[in-house]
Amino acid sequence: MVKVDPVVGKYIHLTVQGIEYRVFYEESGQGIPMICMHSGGGDGMEWRALLNDPEIISKYHLIAPNLPYHGKSLPPESVEWWKQEYRLTRNFFIEFNLALSQALGLERPVYIGCYVGGHMALDLALEYPDDFRAVIAVGVAQRRGPATLDTFYHPSVSNHYRMVNGMYFSAPTNPQEYRREVSWCSMQCAAPTTKGDLYYYFVDHDLSGKTQLIDTMSCAVYMLTGDYDPTTTVEASLELAAQIKGSKFTEMKGMSHAGMAENPPVFKKYLMPILNEIAEKSKSN
Amino acid sequence: MGVCFIEPKNAGSLRDELNADPELKIAARYMTKDVCIEAGSTKCIVKFRDGVVTQIKSENAFADPWDFAIRGSVDSWEKFLQRIPPRFYDGILGGMIRGNFRLEGDTIGAFTHFWAVTRMLDIFREQQNK
């Protein structure tokens, strides 16, 4: 018997900051809409396990886009992108998510994101709490601080660097096949894109002095961080959670930087109570 | 507990293990570098020539040149070499971010061959726990 995934891939044309982008996304399931945003230097394939999980897609309509310049979302035709350095900015990222939600007619979707995508969760909760019923931020901190990004896009540094980033930002306790898959996914992203994504991650995302403005009564905030993650420590996430009244933080044991991909069954164990809680709240609203 | 790659008596067998590893054969292709690994006050130099480890030198290596060095305390390496290392000692990159290891010298060269470097260290971990 032929095995076919319930996942469907589509293209949608979105105009963000005056530029039209042809955006690829995958979707599956039915029920509460949930945008699943990939990490920096990644793409929607990181979410394949969730998109195929019968329990999750029986309650949730998952949408996993590729940001422009990632995966099958090519650079825009109307821009001479080769004459400028790619940079993911906070404003673009916010507007992209709003445009996607609006174009697909999503009704106050849940937003879940990992790392670069995870940091966006809190920016959305801060700026657009009425547009999202809940956000789930995987591996987040208040701000990142300085970092050297040049090694991500340097003519003398091979793709092996991004491969190792993927492999060793997954916990050693996790199955080899998943760790290698994370590594493979990391290698797919164009070098300038990986570097440009990290501009948002390290520079443009900064919740300093704003955390107390996040209204979790309007938009519920959940946070998940792996204990093995060297880039966002559990301690950093706990510090952030303590500043956001009403937010809920869970430490993921034996997980690192790419939870949903490095060990999907364990990630699901931590995610399901959150999804069930959101579903219950959605029934009563 | 000790650090296997520093012991001169292990040099020959570790070299053979590295050269026999199918993943390292692919990862180290085109690699010609001398990699210094320092544990506290001791060190060894792993010499790669066109992807083949020609020597692991841990005796009288004090004056030998190297391209890049990975430095950590004996305690850091002992944690790194555990079968399941504790957090922030499981990978050299994460360990550097958390300040448990340092990379010095030709860092761009190190990142270019980072797959080979990390696979080499994983093989050391496997040998440490045999």
Side-chain angles (χ1 to χ4, degrees), chain B residues 5-66:
Chain B
F5 53 79
I6 292 298
E7 298 294 329
K9 65 178 169 31
N10 295 333
S13 61
L14 285 177
R15 181 200 61 213
D16 293 345
E17 291 291 340
L18 293 176
N19 286 329
D21 184 69
E23 183 178 343
L24 189 63
K25 273 193 171 78
I26 298 169
R29 265 188 311 202
Y30 315 118
M31 181 175 177
T32 295
K33 294 283 180 191
D34 292 333
V35 185
C36 175
I37 312 175
E38 202 171 275
S41 59
T42 55
K43 71 177 179 184
C44 72
I45 296 172
V46 184
K47 300 187 176 191
F48 284 86
R49 295 292 177 272
D50 284 328
V52 175
V53 179
T54 56
Q55 187 184 17
I56 299 178
K57 189 173 182 186
S58 49
E59 274 184 312
N60 300 318
F62 63 92
D64 281 39
W66 41 264

Side-chain angles (χ1 to χ4, degrees), chain A residues 151 154 156-158 160-161 163-165 167-173 179-180 227-231 233-235, chain B residues 23 26-27 84-88 90-95 97-98 108 111-116 118-119 122 125:
Chain A
T151 47
H154 188 291
S156 297
V157 175
S158 73
H160 290 187
Y161 181 61
M163 180 190 199
V164 169
N165 262 295
M167 177 75 183
Y168 292 94
F169 284 169
S170 55
T173 46
R179 299 185 73 198
R180 297 288 177 160
D227 59 348
Y228 264 89
D229 190 343
T231 63
T233 62
V234 164
E235 291 79 6
Chain B
E23 183 178 343
I26 298 169
I84 303 292
R87 69 177 191 152
F88 311 151
D90 51 309
I92 207 70
L93 199 57
I97 291 170
R98 305 314 310 174
I108 291 293
F111 290 136
T112 295
H113 297 289
F114 220 37
W115 182 17
T118 52
R119 180 60 197 148
D122 282 352
R125 179 183 290 131

